[in-house]
Amino acid sequence: MSNRLSRKWEGRYEDAPLLRGEGHYSDDHRPAGVVQAVFQRSPHAHAKILSVDVSAALAAPGVIAVMTGADFAALGLGSVSGSIPFPGRDGKPPISPFRPVLAHDKVMHVGEAVAMVVAETRAQAEDAADLVVVEYETLDPVVDLAQATAADTQIWEQVPGNVTHTWMNPPDETGAGRKAMEETFAKAAHVVSVEVSNQRISAVSMEPRGATGSYDPAADRYTLHTGTQGVAGIRAQVAMSMKLDMPKLRVLTDDVGGGFGMKASTYPEYPAILAASKKLGRPVHWQATRSESFMTDNQARDSLWNVDLAMDANGKFLALRAVGKQNAGAYLTGVAVLVPTIHVAFCLPGLYDIPQIVVESTTYLTNTVPTGPYRGAGRPESMYLLERTVDAAARKLGMDPAELRRRNLIPASAMPYNTASGQTYDSGDFPAIFEQALAEADYAGFPARREAAKARGKLLGIGIGCYLEISGGHYHEPAGVSFKDGKLHVSIGPSSNGQGHATVFRQMLADRLGISDDDIVVTAGDSDRDVPGFGAVASRSAMLVGSAVAVTSDAMLVKAKGVATTLLQASEGEVEYANGVFEIAKTGRRVSLFEVAERAEEMVRAGALKETLDTKDEAHTGPTFPNGVHVAEVEVDPDTGHVAIERYTAIADCGVLLNPTIVTGQVQGGVVQGIGQALGEFSNYDPASGQLLAGSFMDYVMPRADHIPSMKVIHHPVPCTTNPIGVKGTGEAGTTAAPPTIVNAIENAISPGKALKLDMPLTPHVIWQAMHNA
C-alpha cells in the first residue's frame, strides 16, 4: 500500500445534508420530557457572595428547581477543571485553584454562574433567573498582566503573587546555559530587542455551546449530549469533576458548528445539568446565548513577550532569548500552561538555524474568563514573536527582510535537524519553499507596485511570515474497523468540527484497500460505540487518526489474508490482495474482502475461527513539523489608517495531502482567523472593574468578507518520516502564519525603514496613531 503525495478529490460527503438544513446540533436535541436550564451569572469580576435568595424564583410560573453553589457544594463534586501536572521550574506543577460548578463563597470573573434555574420552558427559566437575588461584597479585581505582576491584589490565597507556574527551556539547573547565552550576546555584532503582545481573543464558534443531560436510574448512568472535539476527552473531564467511574457516563456528539480548541474542554454547565437531571428525573437542556459565550467560553492568547536576537556582522543568527508572561484567567483549564511553554518553545527556531535558544515563561491568574487552547495554542504566539523580531532585525541592519531570512534558513541537506529547543525536524525544504513564496508573490515586482500606489495617495507594504509548528500533541491514537450490513465501518475518536473527517478517512481507506468509498462508513461521537481517541486538537486528526486507520486496516488485512487462504485452499504465499479482492494469480481463483469478512463471521460462530475481521489497533508516532511561508501585500490609507489586503500568497508543506481541496480550505480558514486577530479581534476588559468590554458582535470585531483577499494557496509537500502515511498537520498553519505576515506588511507600508511598536489588533485608529507617531 504505497502512500501518494496527493490525490484529487472534489466535494465533501458532509456538505449536502448540512446545506439542506439536515444537520443535527446541540440545540436540536430535545428528548421527551426535557426541561430548560438558565444560569444567573455574576456581574462582578471579583466579589464575595454574602447571600443568595431564590424564593421569588422558585415561586415563578413553570419553575421546577433552583440550585445554588451551596447545593452543589453539598453534593461533594470535584473541581470542574484543573491543570495537568506539567512540571515547571524545580519540578513544581501548576497551582490549580478549585473551580466549583456554581460559585459558592466568591465569584472570580464576570459571567461565573452562581445559580441555575430549571423550568418547563426557556422563557420561564429566563424570567425566573432575573428573580434570583444575590448580595455581593465587591473586591478589587486583577485584570491584566500589569496588575497581576504588581501583586497589589492576590486573588487566590494559595497562589502567591498570582503566579501559578514558571518554566524554562532548556532547563538550566547549574546556570551554565544562561552564562553561555550571556557570553554570546556580549560578543554579538548586533543585538535587537523587541516587546510583542498577543491580545486576548475569543473562539466565537458559529454554534454556541449547548448541552442536554439525562440520568437513567435503572442503570445508574448519565448521558451528556453536547458538541465536542472528541467525546472521550469530555467524558474523562466531566467524570472526574463528578467523581464518577467513566462507564457511568456516556457522551454523545452529533454535528458541531466549530470548535477551534474551545470545545475540547469541559465547563461548569455540564455537571450542573447532569446533577439536575438526576435530582428531577427529567432531561435538562441548556443552550448558551452569544453573550454567555463571550463570558464563559475559554478565551485565548493574552501574553506578553520580550525577545532578544543576537547576530554576527553578516546578520547570521547566533542566539534567541524569549521571556514571556501569560494571563491564564481565573482558573486553570487542562492544558493552558502548555501554551506559553512547550507550544511556544518547541516551535523555535522556526525555519532558521539558531544555535542557542532559551524560553522562559510565567503564568498568572487573574479575574478574567479562563483561557485554553485556540487554533494554534502557543504556535501562533511563537511564530509572531520570532517573525516580528526578524523584521526588526532587518530594519536595524538596513537589510531587505527577505535577504536576512534567506541567510539564516536551515538547508534541506541538514535534515534531520536537531534544534536548540530539543526537537528534531525530520523533513522539510525551507529554502525551496521560501523562494517559491517570493516568486509566486512577485516580490521582485513590489517596488513598482509601491510607486503606483504612492501616485494614488496610498501606502503599499509587503510582509513575510515564515512559520513552523509542532503538531500532534499526543502521539498515539486508536481506530477500529468492523463489517456490518455489507459495509466497512471505521470508528475514530475525534468529532468533526468542519474538517471533513468522514470525507477524508473514507477516501483514504478506499484508496488504501482498493474498494469503493461508498462501501465505507466513518463513525465518531459516541463514547460507548467509538474508540477513545484524543480528539481533534493540535492539527493531529489527519496525521494521527490517518495513521491509526492505516495501521488498523493493515492489521485487519493480515487476518483477512489468513481466512482467504483457507477459503481458497491455498498457501499464504500464493494469495495476493489488490482492489478489494484476494486472488491466486496463477489460477484466477478469487474472493472479495467483504466475502471473507462474512465467511469469517460464520467460521467464528461455528468455532472454526477465534475472531472475526473486526479489528482495533493503535498508531504510535512522533511529532510532525508543518511549515511554510506567507507573503501579504497591504494598502494603507494615510488619511484614515484603513487597511486593504491586496494580495496574499501561502506556500505550505503539510506532507502528504490526503485531500487537497480540504487542506486548501483549512489553510484559507486559518488565514482568515489570523487576519481577524491582526486587524480587529480583542476580548478586552475594563482594567478598573474587570467588565468585559467586547461582549457582543457590536464590540468584538470579526473578519468580514470585505477584509479577505483572494488567496493564492500552493502546496509544497515534503512527506514526513515520523508516521506511516507521511502526513503533517495543517489545521493551525494559516492561523500561525497570518498575524506576523499582516503586521509586517502594515509596518512596511507606514514605516518602511524603521521598526515600530505595533500591538494587535491594528485597527484603523491604531494604524493612524502609529503613522503620526512615526
Side-chain angles (χ1 to χ4, degrees), residues 305-357:
W305 292 88
N306 290 97
V307 189
D308 304 305
L309 177 64
M311 298 169 283
D312 70 12
N314 296 315
K316 182 69 179 71
F317 299 160
L318 303 175
L320 180 76
R321 179 170 54 212
V323 180
K325 300 173 184 177
Q326 175 77 35
N327 180 348
Y331 303 98
L332 284 183
T333 56
V335 295
V337 295
L338 299 186
V339 173
T341 54
I342 61 173
H343 289 180
V344 169
F346 290 176
C347 293
L348 298 173
L351 305 191
Y352 311 116
D353 179 20
I354 306 180
Q356 290 177 274
I357 299 173

Side-chain angles (χ1 to χ4, degrees), residues 21 141 204-205 234 382 397 534 563 582 647 697 710:
V204 286
S205 57
I234 296 300
S382 183
L397 297 177
F534 191 68
V563 176
F582 292 94
R647 301 156 71 106
F697 287 134
S710 177

Side-chain angles (χ1 to χ4, degrees), residues 517-552:
D517 46 22
D518 291 331
D519 292 330
I520 299 173
V521 177
V522 176
T523 66
D526 183 341
S527 62
D528 279 3
R529 177 193 62 202
D530 295 306
V531 294
F534 191 68
V537 297
S539 296
R540 69 187 305 277
S541 292
M543 56 176 278
L544 265 301
V545 178
S547 294
V549 169
V551 167
T552 303

Side-chain angles (χ1 to χ4, degrees), residues 571-588:
S571 66
E572 189 168 312
E574 294 179 295
V575 177
E576 296 179 355
Y577 178 81
N579 299 321
V581 173
F582 292 94
E583 183 176 18
I584 303 175
K586 64 183 179 181
T587 67

Side-chain angles (χ1 to χ4, degrees), residues 203-279:
V204 286
S205 57
M206 186 178 295
E207 177 200 18
R209 286 188 301 114
T212 306
S214 60
Y215 175 73
D216 180 355
D220 185 25
R221 194 164 190 247
Y222 297 88
T223 298
L224 178 68
H225 194 291
T226 188
T228 73
Q229 293 176 229
V231 290
I234 296 300
R235 181 174 73 157
Q237 295 174 60
V238 175
M240 184 177 294
S241 69
M242 296 187 70
K243 298 183 178 179
L244 296 173
D245 293 332
M246 280 204 287
K248 293 289 185 182
L249 175 64
R250 182 185 189 186
V251 178
L252 296 167
T253 291
D254 290 327
D255 294 312
V256 183
F260 311 118
M262 180 269 291
K263 289 178 183 171
S265 296
T266 188
Y267 292 88
E269 295 87 2
Y270 303 160
I273 61 173
L274 289 169
S277 178
K278 180 176 182 179
K279 176 180 179 178

Side-chain angles (χ1 to χ4, degrees), residues 9-44:
W9 283 298
E10 300 297 336
R12 304 193 318 167
Y13 297 111
E14 298 91 341
D15 290 345
L18 296 178
L19 292 171
R20 289 195 298 264
E22 297 170 2
H24 194 268
Y25 296 89
S26 295
D27 200 34
D28 295 321
H29 187 66
R30 301 296 175 88
V34 69
V35 292
Q36 301 289 324
V38 168
F39 292 87
Q40 162 76 276
R41 300 186 181 277
S42 170
H44 304 292

